[in-house]
Amino acid sequence: MADLRGAIEEEIEAVAADLARRRLDRPIPALSGRLRGEVGTGYRYAFQIAGGTYDIRADDRVRIHTGGRDALGVVHRFDRTLGLLQVVSPEWLGERLDGAELEFDPTWLLQELSTRLAEVGQDPEDYFPDTVLGVFGRLPPRLGRESPRLDSSGDLNAPQRDALERVLGSSAQLVWGPPGTGKSRLVARAALELALRGRVLVAATTNGAVDEIARRLASIADPAMLARDRIIRVGFDLGASPDSRIDLGAALARRIEGGAGGVDRTLVEQEGRLGARPAAGARDGAPALNPYARAGRLLALARSRSDAESARDLGRVMLEIARQAERVLEEADIVLTTFARLSIREELRELRFESLLIDEASTAPLPYVAFAASRVAGPAIAVGDFQQLPPVVSSAAPAAMRWLRTDLFREAGVVGGAGAGDPAEAAGGPGAVSALPSPKDGLCAMLDLQYRMAPDIRELVSEFFYGGRLRDAPEIAERAAERAAGSAAERAALTVLDTSGLDPRVERVDGSRRNRAHAEAVADFLGAAARDGVRDIAVVSPYRAQTRHLNDLIRRRLGRAAPADLEVSTIHRFQGREKRLVLIDTVDAPPGRSWFLDERRNRDFPRLLNVALSRARERLVIVATVAGLRRTLPPEALLNRLLAQVQRTGSRIDATPTDLWSGG
């Protein structure tokens, strides 16, 4: 625990230094703030801030200090020229937020985690240190098999069934799930099976991963479990509406409206006293409002009117709501949340569990894994893919490199080598296959039957990153047969869009990179694809500046003629997603050398490339200056070898102002 806390301190120092470079190391006063509308189940606020060279980015986390209250939010958009900042928060803070302060320092989350780990180290008898040592590979696990008991597990394929039996029969188990092999499907069924033994904690780094498991659980669980609030999702992605059958806020609202703690009666009285519009609820057929939001609105209104008596009553109501939330969680069989929320919400920290399921295990920082495992008396199961994105870390200091950049598969010893950034291992060279877990490894089950990628795409990804072990599900062969009857352009699953003839140049923008010639080529391709009726498309790039430029260019040039379901994203943000057609814009071109695309300098590039390649279902297009990359990267570099393979097995298009979609 002391080593983990040392790594956290190094990360805090690195994050603080980055905030200083971005001029975000101090709270920013807002000249004005105003509610602009609702987003999902959150609220969008617009703040006017004073001029300055602030490097504020979409998806930055922010704490809003206003009226004596603190609320968390996420940056939606920032117009640096106008100083206009839009933030989405799950809390209602009032119509006007004049005098608010905005704090962008995320290190308080790391401080909270460090404090929680210190508590475990000081009083280990109050926790479960053997579970931590077991999941980290410090204690030998009990390995075995046990057959599933629920009918909902009957639809698993053979590799999934094998993994589930090992999960149910072992004290610790890692499940290696390459793209499209049904990791979420397995986790949901494992959660239901383990819930027969006691309370289960399902945790992941991102809200998106937790939401996917929650959706699957809601679709296959016994309706009686849902009706009795036995499956509870704590938190949600602000851009999406939570499932009211399993959302903590909705379950709490149902409990409150049933009379628990006299909260509903007090809220109705205060709505009358303050002249507030009564909250919509189950009584009039509308979804019940989260009691925290309902009480928070009234408390903000009472304070704005200096009504001390109502403010005191509502303060007591907030405490009672928190007590009722604890009871909802104590009665649940399965609790789903992110690692960060687990460490900061008191009602979660006090819970103890009989089983732990970790999703997206490759992205899970080890300190968070240790904290979650310390709350669990029984088996700890981790599901993920160590060949995809690792934990996001700012620090390059020794302890941070040791404890924050290492994923759980390597920490537990089932993966050899230097890590996914090692050129021999991650680039699919001779060292790659030997570094992968043995098929006979009792601690690591592999899901090797994939349902996403067309055979040519699967073969490319499997050869370079999975030792040739990935197989196609029968449905994939059927899809491939249907595509074989289409046009030449439709049959080409792999394509290189070569921009060498455009003489592209790279510009540096805000510490990132932009390539205007590449963007023009991508826009041409998208316009032709849209005319051919292709809608489900993603364009991904390793650079934020390029994704911003692409979004602006596509909006200007194509407007409503752009593909209907087009998404433009960085590769990091697109992990876990998929599209029918994916374009990967590599951006870099001579004369500058690419640090980012060179696995010798960027140890995470192979994983990043694997994520990008494996998002495509039917067609994959790589936009690259092929001749330039041959000059600026070594011949044996991963990207050069991969481009050569795609040109041998797929098609090549020279980027020109012609119809790129039909070219070949």
Side-chain angles (χ1 to χ4, degrees):
M1 291 299 175
D3 288 346
L4 293 175
R5 294 183 67 212
I8 292 171
E9 289 303 315
E10 290 180 351
E11 179 68 0
I12 288 173
E13 291 178 7
V15 171
D18 181 63
L19 289 170
R21 286 191 294 270
R22 297 172 59 191
R23 295 180 60 85
L24 299 176
D25 51 333
R26 293 180 177 83
I28 299 174
L31 303 177
S32 63
R34 185 182 295 274
L35 179 67
R36 288 300 186 191
E38 298 187 10
V39 179
T41 55
Y43 303 91
R44 182 166 58 90
Y45 291 92
F47 296 95
Q48 184 71 53
I49 63 176
T53 56
Y54 303 117
D55 182 8
I56 300 173
R57 302 165 185 168
D59 293 334
D60 273 344
R61 269 37 180 182
V62 58
R63 297 176 86 181
I64 306 167
H65 306 287
T66 179
R69 297 177 60 195
D70 285 355
L72 297 180
V74 178
V75 173
H76 176 64
R77 184 176 296 129
F78 177 54
D79 188 320
R80 182 179 299 179
T81 303
L82 300 176
L84 187 63
L85 175 68
Q86 296 186 42
V87 175
V88 177
S89 173
E91 297 188 43
W92 189 86
L93 302 170
E95 297 287 342
R96 297 183 62 88
L97 279 68
D98 297 338
E101 277 196 335
L102 308 170
E103 183 181 354
F104 291 85
D105 186 354
T107 60
W108 68 275
L109 287 169
L110 295 171
Q111 294 284 9
E112 285 286 328
L113 175 59
S114 183
T115 300
R116 303 286 82 78
L117 293 175
E119 293 169 354
V120 177
Q122 291 163 3
D123 300 300
E125 65 277 3
D126 293 337
Y127 303 95
F128 302 99
D130 282 1
T131 307
V132 180
L133 295 173
V135 77
F136 274 52
R138 301 301 194 275
L139 290 177
R142 171 181 52 80
L143 300 177
R145 289 179 177 273
E146 183 176 318
S147 296
R149 296 161 53 186
L150 297 174
D151 292 341
S152 59
S153 300
D155 64 348
L156 297 178
N157 63 32
Q160 293 165 347
R161 171 88 182 200
D162 175 74
L164 180 59
E165 290 180 354
R166 292 167 64 167
V167 163
L168 298 178
S170 304
S171 63
Q173 184 70 205
L174 300 173
V175 179
W176 178 24
T181 54
K183 294 185 289 295
S184 299
R185 184 190 189 100
L186 173 67
V187 172
R189 283 149 180 81
L192 291 172
E193 295 282 354
L194 291 169
L196 298 174
R197 309 174 183 176
R199 184 185 291 120
V200 179
L201 170 63
V202 180
T205 304
T206 67
N207 277 305
V210 179
D211 286 338
E212 178 61 25
I213 304 300
R215 282 191 292 269
R216 290 183 178 273
L217 277 170
S219 68
I220 63 172
D222 185 336
M225 289 187 74
L226 304 178
R228 300 198 311 270
D229 296 328
R230 311 298 286 193
I231 302 175
I232 295 295
R233 163 69 163 111
V234 184
F236 54 89
D237 189 328
L238 288 175
S241 297
D243 188 328
S244 62
R245 295 173 295 172
I246 59 176
D247 172 57
L248 173 61
L252 187 55
R254 290 190 290 269
R255 190 181 189 98
I256 295 300
E257 290 190 342
V263 170
D264 189 61
R265 182 180 63 253
T266 302
L267 291 176
V268 170
E269 291 172 354
Q270 289 298 328
E271 284 165 351
R273 175 186 175 107
L274 296 168
R277 177 170 53 87
R283 289 184 295 270
D284 51 22
L289 184 67
N290 184 317
Y292 283 113
R294 187 179 172 192
R297 285 187 175 201
L298 291 171
L299 183 58
L301 185 59
R303 287 172 172 168
S304 70
R305 297 180 179 178
S306 301
D307 188 334
E309 182 179 348
S310 287
R312 282 194 300 271
D313 288 347
L314 289 164
R316 287 192 289 268
V317 163
M318 295 288 275
L319 291 175
E320 181 58 32
I321 293 173
R323 282 192 287 269
Q324 294 299 327
E326 290 176 6
R327 291 172 187 170
V328 170
L329 291 168
E330 288 168 356
E331 295 170 7
D333 296 325
I334 302 173
V335 175
L336 304 99
T337 193
T338 59
F339 288 114
R341 193 168 274 110
L342 181 68
S343 69
I344 62 175
R345 290 194 61 156
E346 188 171 351
E347 67 267 30
L348 284 172
R349 294 202 308 262
E350 298 304 315
L351 289 178
R352 297 297 182 266
F353 301 86
E354 279 65 53
S355 302
L356 169 64
L357 277 166
I358 299 171
D359 192 29
E360 285 190 342
S362 72
T363 68
L366 293 182
Y368 274 122
V369 172
F371 170 71
S374 72
R375 267 66 182 167
V376 178
I381 313 300
V383 181
D385 182 5
F386 54 83
Q387 294 290 63
Q388 301 248 318
L389 292 181
V392 176
V393 182
S394 298
S395 176
M401 294 292 287
R402 167 66 184 87
W403 291 106
L404 298 182
R405 294 190 64 93
T406 303
D407 64 67
L408 192 56
F409 288 87
R410 289 176 173 81
E411 185 62 32
V414 302
V415 181
D422 180 72
E425 175 187 342
V433 176
S434 62
L436 302 179
S438 165
K440 298 180 180 180
D441 192 321
L443 184 59
C444 183
M446 182 182 183
L447 308 179
D448 61 1
L449 201 61
Q450 71 91 21
Y451 293 80
R452 176 187 299 166
M453 297 170 279
D456 288 350
I457 303 173
R458 182 269 309 159
E459 186 174 353
L460 180 75
V461 170
S462 182
E463 177 182 342
F464 274 81
F465 299 99
Y466 298 102
R469 296 189 199 175
L470 273 184
R471 301 177 292 140
D472 294 331
E475 295 91 322
I476 295 298
E478 294 173 6
R479 274 175 26 198
E482 292 174 1
R483 284 174 54 81
S487 67
E490 291 172 334
R491 291 197 304 269
L494 298 171
T495 300
V496 173
L497 178 54
D498 190 354
T499 60
S500 299
L502 301 179
D503 192 26
R505 289 290 182 267
V506 175
E507 306 167 79
R508 296 183 181 274
V509 181
D510 297 332
S512 186
R513 295 189 178 193
R514 177 175 65 197
N515 186 323
R516 296 176 187 269
H518 272 213
E520 294 286 346
V522 169
D524 283 346
F525 191 99
L526 292 174
R531 291 192 295 274
D532 278 2
V534 182
R535 301 164 51 93
D536 193 30
I537 304 177
V539 180
V540 297
S541 166
Y543 299 110
R544 287 192 307 273
Q546 184 72 351
T547 60
R548 289 196 298 267
H549 180 63
L550 279 165
N551 271 311
D552 291 341
L553 178 65
I554 292 165
R555 186 173 61 251
R556 291 196 314 270
R557 279 191 50 187
L558 300 181
R560 293 183 179 180
D565 297 323
L566 173 67
E567 292 186 49
V568 180
S569 170
T570 61
I571 299 173
H572 275 94
R573 292 186 64 188
F574 208 67
Q575 174 155 314
R577 307 288 306 286
E578 60 183 73
K579 286 284 187 177
R580 176 185 172 188
L581 166 64
V582 173
L583 287 88
I584 304 172
D585 184 356
T586 59
V587 180
D588 284 345
R593 292 188 175 273
S594 173
W595 171 87
F596 197 89
L597 305 182
D598 187 344
E599 65 271 21
R600 299 171 306 169
R601 296 174 173 83
N602 177 13
R603 58 179 291 170
D604 293 337
F605 173 66
R607 293 184 180 185
L608 198 72
L609 181 60
N610 183 24
V611 169
L613 296 170
S614 58
R615 301 307 95 195
R617 291 198 303 270
E618 296 183 6
R619 190 173 185 189
L620 175 68
V621 178
I622 304 176
V623 184
T625 307
V626 176
L629 291 173
R630 286 176 185 156
R631 295 199 303 272
T632 57
L633 290 173
E636 69 279 6
L638 168 61
L639 187 55
N640 278 334
R641 290 190 293 112
L642 187 134
L643 288 170
Q645 177 75 355
V646 171
Q647 291 183 93
R648 282 195 301 270
T649 60
S651 64
R652 176 177 174 273
I653 299 174
D654 287 319
T656 67
T658 60
D659 187 344
L660 296 172
W661 178 252
S662 301

